[in-house]
Amino acid sequence: MIKKILLTLVAIIAIFLGVAAMQPDDFTVTRSATIAASPATLFDYANDLHKWQDWSPWAKLDPAAKATYTGPAAGVGAAFSWAGNNEVGEGTMTITESKPGELVRYKLEFKKPFEGNNIADIAYKAEGDKTVVTWSMTGKKNLIFKAMGLVMDCDKMCGDQFNQGLATLKTLAEAAPAAPAPTPVAVPAPVAVPAPAPVPNP
């Protein structure tokens, strides 16, 4: 009897893993929000990783998480490492692309509770006096991730956190003073050069 139960359990697990293995290898999570602020104002919140904690949904899950910054203060090469409780885990995010007012791209390296490498984008699109901010993350799904997807809605779980972060960003950005417009470069007026006086004939 026990042998039959064990064989049944093994068969169920094998079927479950087989179904999981047939799930798509890639995933994408995307959420957007319209914020009454310019792309220039919003860009700094993503390009400066020191400001990331001000609106990151994971910062609220573990305020005591350890944060370490390396590389430049902002822009390409700036990196932020975190180590916290089971809800936030441990990992590193590094800015790999930075286009002012357009896009900030990150390389995400997760160590705990699961290992993984993903790409995240924060993109901006101006619409009148507002900006549509789109937060997306793409990556590969290993077998554990695929199996988890069969019993829970991973897109909703991660997407809900994106929505929380975007809502906080909206509150911060709409309360902040607008970023100053670039100062136009003054172009000097052309100077008239008098024609040379005619040389009298001897």
Side-chain angles (χ1 to χ4, degrees), residues 21-177:
M22 292 188 291
Q23 301 304 303
D25 293 330
D26 303 309
F27 76 90
T28 299
V29 179
T30 301
R31 296 294 187 273
S32 297
T34 300
I35 301 176
S38 68
T41 297
L42 293 162
F43 176 75
D44 200 39
Y45 286 97
N47 193 56
D48 184 344
L49 294 181
H50 295 82
K51 295 184 178 181
W52 176 267
Q53 292 292 79
D54 294 340
W55 60 282
S56 167
W58 295 282
K60 297 178 181 178
L61 295 178
D62 184 8
K66 180 181 177 181
T68 304
Y69 299 91
T70 55
V76 175
F80 160 65
S81 298
W82 73 91
N85 59 24
N86 292 334
E87 291 189 273
V88 301
E90 183 177 340
T92 299
M93 63 187 295
T94 306
I95 296 179
T96 59
E97 190 172 347
S98 177
K99 297 179 180 179
E102 295 181 24
L103 172 77
V104 180
R105 175 165 292 166
Y106 311 90
K107 176 177 68 174
L108 301 174
E109 300 170 278
F110 299 102
K111 298 178 181 179
K112 294 178 181 180
F114 303 108
E115 292 189 359
N117 294 278
N118 300 328
I119 300 297
D121 288 348
I122 306 289
Y124 310 92
K125 182 181 180 182
E127 289 192 353
D129 59 351
K130 298 181 180 181
T131 302
V132 177
V133 182
T134 300
W135 188 355
S136 61
M137 182 171 67
T138 60
K140 296 289 185 181
K141 294 192 292 187
N142 56 28
L143 186 57
I144 294 177
F145 199 116
K146 291 179 179 180
M148 289 174 59
L150 294 177
V151 296
M152 63 180 65
D153 190 340
C154 295
D155 179 86
K156 184 179 186 304
M157 290 177 59
C158 191
D160 285 349
Q161 292 175 321
F162 282 14
N163 283 334
Q164 292 173 21
L166 290 171
T168 302
L169 177 61
K170 178 181 176 70
T171 299
L172 291 172
E174 292 183 352

